[in-house]
Amino acid sequence: MKYFIGNWKMFGVPKSINILNKINLFVSKDLNRSKYQVIITPPYTLIQNYAKYFKKKKISIGSQNCYQKDQFSSNTAAISSYMIKSVGAKYTLIGHSDNRAEGDNETILRDKVRFALKNNLKVVFCIGENKKEKREKKTLSVLKKQLVNVLNKKFNKRKIIVAYEPIWSIGTGELPTVSELKKTTSHIKKILKIIFNQKSPPVLYGGSVDESNIEMFKEIGEIDGFLIGGASKSYKKFIDIIRNYYR
Ligand code: PGA
């Protein structure tokens, strides 16, 4: 099963549901539809509406983040996994580099993952090195640290997806090479197998994926799907990504 996850970031108002309607229509008619799963993570303001509307359709809804406490707390503007689950979301991203940059450290991320799983959300855990770490050839060690310091074998591996997003590739149009990606993805899976006792959760790629460069990922069988930012705001681009991937 491959995953095509659209991360809307700070984008969308109620009428943006039209974008998802078009994607849903495409998926329901697509002959390849049993091979993949589409998940969209709109901002918090739209989750309840969208999750209700798409409940019996082809798109699952997730959140872009969650707070590191269980149900309710006195933290102003915080939203917990419990609250996200209660409005119908099935997934949450955790550890996106935007949120790491705003202060999400590994202790916080561990709590986020723990409480998300406890509240029955599937977790899309994001990792990735920055430009300096890549230049200094620290990519593999950085990724290892990000994985082992947050994930542990007590977590249900069937409820976890890992998304590899090199920070220098997010929103920049810069991509790793095919051989870099093969090497990095195998490394991530090797570490996940150690953490989770021989079975790795799916590993996705994210960072500047679009309808033209998706072709290059076809030859990287190790990659189990994509986390798509900018291109997920256009139904045409998002549909073309799926279409071109299976062409
Ligand atoms: P991008 O974003 O596709 O716009 O590079 C990916 C992400 O941040 O999840």
Side-chain angles (χ1 to χ4, degrees), residues 7 9 93 96-98 165 169-173 206-209 227-231:
N7 173 17
K9 310 191 185 188
L93 307 183
H96 190 282
S97 63
D98 289 343
E165 297 206 297
S169 174
I170 296 175
T172 60
S208 294
V209 173
L227 181 50
I228 302 151

Side-chain angles (χ1 to χ4, degrees), residues 39-50:
I39 302 158
I40 302 290
T41 62
Y44 289 129
T45 46
L46 302 174
I47 291 177
Q48 178 162 20
N49 256 349
Y50 288 12

Side-chain angles (χ1 to χ4, degrees), residues 214-229:
I214 191 70
E215 304 270 352
M216 106 177 202
F217 294 97
K218 286 187 199 172
E219 55 179 297
I220 315 176
E222 294 92 335
I223 293 180
D224 302 302
F226 305 93
L227 181 50
I228 302 151

Side-chain angles (χ1 to χ4, degrees), residues 7 9 22 49 58 65 119 172 184-185 243:
N7 173 17
K9 310 191 185 188
K22 297 251 176 37
N49 256 349
K58 301 289 178 201
N65 198 359
N119 286 293
T172 60
T184 315
T185 311
R243 202 181 263 144

Side-chain angles (χ1 to χ4, degrees), residues 168-186:
W168 50 270
S169 174
I170 296 175
T172 60
E174 274 185 67
L175 291 178
T177 64
V178 170
S179 70
E180 277 173 337
L181 262 176
K182 283 189 175 169
K183 190 170 142 204
T184 315
T185 311
S186 313

